[in-house]
Amino acid sequence: AQTVTQSQPEMSVQEAETVTLSCTYDTSESDYYLFWYKQPPSRQMILVIRQEAYKQQNATENRFSVNFQKAAKSFSLKISDSQLGDAAMYFCASPNQAGTALIFGKGTTLSVSS
Amino acid sequence: NAGVTQTPKFRILKIGQSMTLQCTQDMNHNYMYWYRQDPGMGLKLIYYSVGAGITDKGEVPNGYNVSRSTTEDFPLRLELAAPSQTSVYFCASSYQQGGSGNTIYFGEGSWLTVV
């Protein structure tokens, strides 16, 4: 079965600093997408960034970027210049075996202090 | 712009009762999903649908049933509610299959407590 592993249940960062959240996944596909979602206390699921596996270049969305290591099946999220509004639970997601839906890791709770 | 709408937002059920969580989307999306999120955990896929009349099981389907008679609606039925079904339920949709890079849009969640 496909699995997504987030090994850091909690992380903390100070405002304006940089933090990296880790994720590893398991898939037998050669082309696929990976995702990071943010879930603030409101519980709304917000797409942060996505990465297509066949693209060598790491995806970037403003202060959010990924470090995608395909051979290692690693997909970490880097948040630069952290802001108080970044405090949330972050989920890594990869396709299920059929490619029809996403499966999620257990999440990393990020706290941001001023 | 409604997006994905779930009702009810909150519900308390007694053990053994049944209920239906309603989900509707107005984006003409083919794919729809039901996830559950237990406290402090990630989302687990319950069921999904690739179009009207077609549904398939996800990771944790036991105790639930779904149907997809229209493109817009994807209700989730809980039969004989158990305390283990206490969770937050998310309905979601995407135009094409979510595992292929298409953006999945989530509803705001339905909090269900079984006592």
Side-chain angles (χ1 to χ4, degrees):
Chain A
Q2 317 288 82
T3 57
V4 178
T5 303
Q6 294 180 249
S7 58
Q8 306 154 314
E10 296 177 352
M11 292 284 283
S12 60
V13 65
Q14 290 204 312
E15 264 187 304
E17 298 294 309
T18 296
V19 64
T20 298
L21 309 183
S22 302
C23 173
T24 58
Y25 61 94
D26 181 21
T27 180
S28 56
E29 299 298 313
S30 58
D31 192 20
Y32 48 90
Y33 283 79
L34 299 166
F35 302 81
W36 279 98
Y37 275 85
K38 172 184 178 181
Q39 188 182 50
S42 67
R43 294 271 188 162
Q44 182 68 37
M45 293 291 286
I46 302 165
L47 177 63
V48 175
I49 198 166
R50 84 185 84 196
Q51 171 80 43
E52 187 167 7
Y54 84 85
K55 287 188 175 178
Q56 300 283 352
Q57 190 171 7
N58 290 324
T60 300
E61 290 285 344
N62 300 315
R63 298 182 295 107
F64 298 87
S65 61
V66 301
N67 182 6
F68 174 50
Q69 304 287 330
K70 190 173 183 179
K73 295 183 178 176
S74 168
F75 180 58
S76 59
L77 175 69
K78 186 170 88 170
I79 306 174
S80 304
D81 186 25
S82 297
Q83 301 174 358
L84 293 176
D86 294 335
M89 200 156 186
Y90 287 82
F91 294 101
C92 177
S94 78
N96 63 354
Q97 194 153 11
T100 48
L102 293 181
I103 56 172
F104 289 81
K106 291 184 178 180
T108 297
T109 300
L110 177 67
S111 58
V112 182
S113 56
S114 56
Chain B
N1 45 333
V4 179
T5 303
Q6 297 178 228
T7 56
K9 285 192 168 37
F10 301 93
R11 181 74 187 267
I12 298 175
L13 271 183
K14 293 185 178 177
I15 294 171
Q17 286 185 323
S18 300
M19 75 160 296
T20 298
L21 296 175
Q22 302 290 345
C23 176
T24 186
Q25 52 91 8
D26 62 359
M27 297 174 281
N28 200 33
H29 284 172
N30 295 307
Y31 284 69
M32 294 188 75
Y33 317 86
W34 274 105
Y35 286 91
R36 60 176 284 175
Q37 183 180 23
D38 297 335
M41 302 292 283
L43 279 70
K44 295 284 190 183
L45 182 65
I46 305 172
Y47 272 96
Y48 66 96
S49 169
V50 303
I54 307 170
T55 62
D56 207 349
K57 295 178 181 178
E59 303 166 88
V60 289
N62 291 344
Y64 306 94
N65 281 301
V66 293
S67 60
R68 183 99 181 266
S69 57
T70 68
T71 299
E72 295 78 18
D73 301 308
F74 190 41
L76 177 72
R77 177 104 179 135
L78 281 73
E79 305 282 1
L80 298 174
S84 60
Q85 293 178 304
T86 294
S87 193
V88 181
Y89 291 83
F90 288 95
C91 181
S93 72
S94 60
Y95 183 64
Q96 292 296 345
Q97 53 187 31
S100 298
N102 296 279
T103 299
I104 295 180
Y105 297 85
F106 285 83
E108 295 183 340
S110 297
W111 275 250
L112 176 66
T113 301
V114 181
V115 296

